[in-house]
Amino acid sequence: MNEVLKEWMNPTLIEEMDEGVLNAPQDLLGMHMYAGTQLFVVRRPAAQAVWITSVNGNKVYEMEELDEELGLFGLQIKAKAKQLKDYRIRVQYSPEDIIDIADPYSFEPEISDFDCYIFGEGKHYEIFEKLGAHVETVDGVTGTRFAVWAPDARSVSVVGSFNMWDGRLHTMRLLGATGIYELFVPGAGEGDIYKYQITSRSKDMLLKTDPYGNFAEMRPGNASVVTCLNGYDWGDADYMKKHAEKTRAVRERSPMNIYEVHLGSWKKRIEDDDNGFYSYRELAGMLGDYLVEMKYTHIELMGISEYPFDGSWGYQVGCYYAPTSRYGTPHDFMYFVDEMHKRGIEVILDWVPAHFPRDAHCLGNFDGKALYEHPDRRRGEHPDWGTYIFDYGRREVQNFLVANALFWVEKFHIDGLRVDAVASMLYLDYGKQDGDWLPNEDGGNEHYEAVDFLRHLNRVMDERHPEAYIIAEESTAWPDVTKKVEDGGLGFSFKWNMGWMNDFLEYMKLDPYFKQFHHDQLCFSLTYHLSEKYILVFSHDEVVHGKCSLLNKMPGLTGDKYAALKAAFGFMYGHPGKKLLFMGQEFAQQREWSEMRSLDWYLLQEEPHQGIHRFIKDLNRLYLENSALYYNDSDVMGFEWMDCARPETSTVAFVRRGKTKSKQLMFILNFTPVAHERYSVKAPCRGKYTEILNSDDVKYGGQGRMNPNPITARRKAVSKPADKKAVQAKRKAEVAVEYEIECYLPPLSVVVLEYDYKE
């Protein structure tokens, strides 16, 4: 070895390289000016020979082997020779295997000190443009820039199909004290698979998928895939322009009718094949046309971020920045969203910042220590779910999650996010036994850091994308979930009304005789419906794990089940709040849902299911065409009971009011299998009431017991008073209850009447 090279070979760096803990490879490898000469050091284990060449190949310098075991080669070009500023490395592994490559250590880092600073502050909302894998062309060289956050690692290498999975070839450089490692790898490009090889403080070697990677292998490979998100030709410009006008206030007064879907089981190409999925592109047309036909306004997708286990339905996420490859590429998913938008359908993603799985290739113990999860298991683990809990108090972790929410909106044109399991985030003792959780600094169970994260998330989304919305799946009575952050709330746009769903389904499961003793379960939700901006849901969680389908929750014989289900749907659509139905409920799926098989579409060949299908389609049309059903969801004038005090008959009646005095609606519901031939009920005003929907209509599978003629409201009869005091009482009573109507109310039914309000 020549003396200058020998002097250059820092023994400390050599030792770290030998031990696999080198985090500053650029201090040894690459091209350096030293002692008035130009030095080149290259690491290529198993190479027979290595040369440094000019870019055009006119100049070729053979390198000296410095360390056979480490695969180090060196070259000194003396001062009198002309410097070789642009160069390539030529490597010979055998006479037939010779490659020319650019030197990864000849490229400067792209991530700036400012990037590192604001990431450390938790406010780098475009961090996904810096971390991860990004195909670039630098100085005429095409490759991929890899960057990962691993502050407790001793060293990090990127390994993959471009370097024979050899961690010695592309050791990444640590950027100061930030914990970010970066390296530009010439030749690595679109479609290459890779992982990060991380050497921990205890010198354990870990292989991890990229937390910021945009594509991943389908299970069980689980490696990240280099992909470029740019280049998709969006066709939804008109839609996005209109969507940008939908502020929070506008959205609260707009219809929102959501179809919740698990893409892998809505329909399957091959029923008995675990991987018999339709692609994003195939589903876009089939599903998009179906949504338009059925008059839905929104689709909510379960489990799109890449996940390792099918049975988690996407709620144990492995790669937060990658749409699952089960159905295609990121561009294929963009096509899916694009096609929904072309049809006027808004797209909501289920998003899971509450927890993540323990799979070895995922986020858990990412750099050998707890990084994304809280280091204390009493804060960092869900014992019931077997998952890790994010460390919301760590600013870089908050940044990871907040930027991820923005990523889906900005890169994939997603309209809204539904945040899963918010209650598990808000309470430190959620799902835990006494002694297995840590209280907050004030001794309580409120998770202050999670609250801060949720407010951070909603504030930033509201500032950067006011047209987007974030929905909370929150099952407790935590106050002000949908109040703005600046007013002391959590800042969500909407909240799932889990209390209504649980109470109402428990009520519907009861034998009709016992319903009279549980009337409060039917009516209670109307005492608090103005406390939040609610979405009423019949979600996937209610039709799995032994809970049976919605149809089979209904008591009675077969005919009564279908009738009761229609009544249940009628109450849901009449009740204040936006709407969500899980797939299959619109045609009364009989079996419980399973992610392993398609919905039972063959049921639509049978009349009872056809009737339910037509009923939901007409309910959806009714919902869209009548502002009474959505405009005043959060206004006291939007709802008024006409009758909720007849538990003995299990009947209720109420009115819904919209933008104008015309086309107001009255709902009358009967939850027992007993008909009422002359059902009298309070009416809100004089005038005529016209039946516009009756669940007993023959087209819905009923018996046709209808109210074919308009019903005229009459003044309620009052007995003649005996004295002046009684006259005054009578007048007051007439002001309070002045009109009533009488109609035929079929068993297990909903009757909807339209009227114009008259003073």
Side-chain angles (χ1 to χ4, degrees):
M1 181 187 309
N2 92 31
E3 290 301 319
V4 176
L5 280 170
K6 184 182 294 185
E7 190 175 313
W8 173 257
M9 302 298 285
N10 185 306
T12 300
L13 297 178
I14 296 294
E15 182 180 357
E16 289 179 350
M17 178 180 286
D18 187 37
E19 294 178 359
V21 295
L22 180 63
N23 59 23
Q26 73 281 0
D27 290 348
L28 178 66
L29 304 177
M31 187 276 288
H32 299 271
M33 300 304 299
Y34 180 71
T37 66
Q38 191 174 17
L39 298 184
F40 298 85
V41 181
V42 172
R43 191 181 192 194
R44 279 285 154 172
Q48 292 180 353
V50 180
W51 296 267
I52 295 294
T53 76
S54 58
V55 173
N56 59 17
N58 290 340
K59 295 181 179 180
V60 180
Y61 303 88
E62 185 169 4
M63 303 188 77
E64 176 185 355
E65 188 173 55
L66 305 179
D67 188 314
E68 182 179 4
E69 185 175 344
L70 292 178
L72 288 174
F73 293 81
L75 171 68
Q76 176 193 13
I77 299 179
K78 295 182 180 180
K80 64 180 181 181
K82 189 174 181 180
Q83 288 186 13
L84 194 61
K85 293 181 179 179
D86 296 323
Y87 66 97
R88 296 291 182 266
I89 303 170
R90 180 170 295 166
V91 185
Q92 176 180 309
Y93 290 103
S94 71
E96 297 79 24
D97 187 5
I98 300 175
I99 60 172
D100 286 314
I101 57 171
D103 187 350
Y105 301 104
S106 67
F107 298 91
E108 292 298 317
E110 183 182 277
I111 298 174
S112 68
D113 291 343
F114 183 68
D115 288 322
C116 296
Y117 171 75
I118 58 174
F119 177 59
E121 291 293 303
K123 298 178 181 178
H124 198 319
Y125 303 124
E126 297 85 29
I127 191 63
F128 49 83
E129 302 283 11
K130 301 295 181 178
L131 300 184
H134 300 279
V135 177
E136 299 176 0
T137 298
V138 182
D139 296 333
V141 177
T142 299
T144 300
R145 189 175 298 277
F146 297 92
V148 64
W149 178 57
D152 279 305
R154 289 293 302 275
S155 70
V156 180
S157 295
V158 59
V159 297
S161 55
F162 46 82
N163 64 8
M164 302 169 288
W165 298 88
D166 189 339
R168 298 171 295 178
L169 295 181
H170 292 110
T171 303
M172 303 176 74
R173 67 176 84 200
L174 176 63
L175 303 181
T178 64
I180 294 176
Y181 288 79
E182 180 186 2
L183 189 69
F184 179 74
V185 178
E190 191 97 12
D192 278 329
I193 58 175
Y194 70 99
K195 288 186 178 182
Y196 293 114
Q197 179 179 295
I198 297 174
T199 303
S200 71
R201 293 287 171 182
S202 58
K203 296 188 179 179
D204 293 326
M205 186 178 292
L206 311 171
L207 280 176
K208 295 287 188 176
T209 50
D210 190 344
Y212 289 85
N214 299 140
F215 194 31
E217 284 186 306
M218 188 172 170
R219 50 158 172 72
N222 300 319
S224 297
V225 182
V226 176
T227 192
C228 185
L229 296 183
N230 297 329
Y232 179 77
D233 186 14
W234 287 94
D236 63 350
D238 291 342
Y239 169 91
M240 294 299 286
K241 183 178 179 180
K242 293 178 182 177
H243 181 63
E245 300 170 357
K246 293 184 178 179
T247 63
R248 180 185 290 248
V250 169
R251 193 169 296 285
E252 289 171 5
R253 293 191 179 275
S254 301
M256 195 170 184
N257 191 16
I258 307 166
Y259 188 64
E260 186 189 23
V261 174
H262 178 265
L263 288 180
S265 58
W266 184 70
K267 285 184 179 178
K268 292 193 73 171
R269 185 192 313 278
I270 305 172
E271 188 59 39
D272 59 354
D273 185 350
D274 286 349
N275 298 332
F277 303 127
Y278 284 103
S279 70
Y280 291 120
R281 290 178 180 267
E282 291 170 318
L283 288 165
M286 293 188 295
L287 191 46
D289 291 346
Y290 182 73
L291 293 170
V292 171
E293 175 195 350
M294 291 300 293
K295 310 299 180 185
Y296 284 101
T297 61
H298 295 64
I299 182 172
E300 181 175 319
L301 300 178
M302 296 167 57
I304 286 300
S305 298
E306 190 61 81
Y307 54 101
F309 175 50
D310 286 17
S312 78
W313 313 330
Y315 295 109
Q316 293 194 17
V317 178
C319 303
Y320 277 79
Y321 284 82
T324 178
S325 59
R326 287 167 174 80
Y327 318 119
T329 68
H331 278 189
D332 292 336
F333 182 55
M334 290 176 181
Y335 178 88
F336 178 91
V337 176
D338 206 7
E339 288 298 307
M340 294 298 118
H341 286 175
K342 289 176 183 178
R343 292 165 171 79
I345 304 296
E346 296 192 23
V347 181
I348 302 169
L349 291 191
D350 279 3
W351 188 59
V352 193
H355 63 127
F356 57 91
R358 294 173 177 269
D359 298 63
H361 66 280
C362 294
L363 297 177
N365 294 302
F366 186 78
D367 55 8
K369 295 176 66 176
L371 181 62
Y372 288 90
E373 69 273 31
H374 196 284
D376 190 315
R377 67 166 189 81
R378 293 172 293 178
R379 287 271 180 95
E381 297 182 16
H382 271 305
D384 289 344
W385 298 346
T387 53
Y388 290 122
I389 302 170
F390 282 103
D391 185 357
Y392 304 106
R394 192 159 192 169
R395 287 173 294 187
E396 296 92 343
V397 173
Q398 276 207 26
N399 201 149
F400 171 80
L401 292 170
V402 173
N404 184 244
L406 295 168
F407 167 82
W408 290 107
V409 173
E410 294 173 4
K411 294 294 187 181
F412 289 91
H413 293 198
I414 295 302
D415 301 288
L417 301 171
R418 197 276 293 185
V419 182
D420 183 65
V422 171
S424 74
M425 301 167 66
L426 293 174
Y427 298 97
L428 292 166
D429 59 347
Y430 186 93
K432 298 179 181 179
Q433 303 298 318
D434 290 344
D436 199 32
W437 60 280
L438 283 179
N440 60 39
E441 61 197 50
D442 297 316
N445 66 345
E446 301 89 352
H447 197 329
Y448 292 155
E449 290 85 357
V451 171
D452 177 66
F453 157 66
L454 293 172
R455 287 174 171 160
H456 182 187
L457 165 71
N458 286 308
R459 184 180 64 252
V460 170
M461 186 65 77
D462 201 41
E463 290 171 355
R464 296 170 69 95
H465 296 285
E467 77 284 1
Y469 46 96
I470 303 184
I471 303 163
E473 185 211 17
E474 203 284 307
S475 56
T476 74
W478 187 282
D480 301 328
V481 172
T482 56
K483 183 182 284 187
K484 290 185 177 181
V485 173
E486 56 266 34
D487 297 327
L490 293 183
F492 286 96
S493 301
F494 297 100
K495 171 182 171 174
W496 275 18
N497 197 336
M498 310 288 282
W500 169 82
M501 179 180 69
N502 293 328
D503 285 348
F504 182 57
L505 290 179
E506 287 303 311
Y507 175 81
M508 290 305 300
K509 287 190 288 187
L510 293 168
D511 181 277
Y513 173 78
F514 294 105
K515 281 184 165 64
Q516 61 186 306
F517 307 115
H518 296 268
H519 202 62
D520 59 324
Q521 287 183 290
L522 178 63
C523 302
F524 177 64
S525 59
L526 277 308
T527 66
Y528 64 81
H529 79 280
L530 298 176
S531 63
E532 302 280 4
K533 307 300 189 296
Y534 282 116
I535 297 176
L536 303 182
V537 297
F538 287 148
S539 71
H540 66 274
D541 278 327
E542 300 311 305
V543 293
V544 291
H545 299 327
K547 295 181 181 179
C548 74
S549 65
L550 276 190
L551 177 67
N552 286 322
K553 291 182 193 294
M554 305 297 119
L557 301 175
T558 300
D560 285 350
K561 286 181 179 293
Y562 290 100
L565 184 59
K566 286 182 286 183
F569 286 140
F571 186 71
M572 177 193 187
Y573 276 73
H575 192 294
K578 311 308 181 187
K579 319 299 178 191
L580 179 146
L581 282 183
F582 181 56
M583 64 181 197
Q585 295 172 355
E586 77 277 13
F587 61 82
Q589 170 90 5
Q590 290 179 324
R591 293 191 292 176
E592 277 193 345
W593 169 65
S594 169
E595 81 282 352
M596 300 299 292
R597 61 174 182 258
S598 172
L599 294 179
D600 295 332
W601 291 99
Y602 64 84
L603 292 174
L604 280 174
Q605 300 173 21
E606 302 173 11
E607 178 53 40
H609 299 276
Q610 293 174 0
I612 296 288
H613 199 239
R614 284 190 288 265
F615 184 63
I616 291 297
K617 184 175 180 178
D618 284 354
L619 272 178
N620 289 345
R621 181 183 293 110
L622 182 76
Y623 178 69
L624 293 181
E625 292 176 353
N626 290 273
S627 69
L629 292 178
Y630 58 80
Y631 188 78
N632 290 313
D633 276 337
S634 300
D635 194 308
V636 67
M637 73 167 292
F639 175 92
E640 183 182 354
W641 283 117
M642 294 293 102
D643 185 8
C644 62
R646 292 194 229 185
E648 70 281 1
T649 59
S650 299
T651 56
V652 293
F654 55 84
V655 295
R656 295 296 312 276
R657 303 185 181 94
K659 296 181 184 179
T660 66
K661 293 182 178 181
S662 62
K663 292 191 70 175
Q664 296 186 6
L665 301 180
M666 184 170 181
F667 282 70
I668 307 172
L669 296 110
N670 181 7
F671 291 104
T672 66
V674 177
H676 298 271
E677 295 191 9
R678 302 182 65 180
Y679 188 80
S680 295
V681 64
K682 173 186 172 181
C685 64
R686 62 187 174 86
K688 293 188 180 297
Y689 292 72
T690 303
E691 184 177 88
I692 58 172
L693 187 79
N694 187 323
S695 62
D696 199 51
D697 195 322
V698 291
K699 68 180 178 179
Y700 306 137
Q703 296 185 27
R705 292 162 289 190
M706 315 279 284
N707 295 281
N709 301 315
I711 302 166
T712 302
R714 62 177 186 270
R715 293 181 69 90
K716 190 173 183 179
V718 179
S719 58
K720 186 176 180 179
D723 52 35
K724 184 177 181 180
K725 187 175 181 181
V727 170
Q728 292 174 343
K730 171 183 176 294
R731 286 173 180 166
K732 290 180 181 178
E734 286 182 333
V735 170
V737 182
E738 192 171 4
Y739 295 97
E740 65 180 3
I741 60 171
E742 186 176 272
C743 68
Y744 187 94
L745 184 59
L748 295 170
S749 68
V750 55
V751 172
V752 183
L753 307 175
E754 182 183 295
Y755 67 96
D756 294 336
Y757 184 78
K758 293 178 170 51
E759 300 289 348

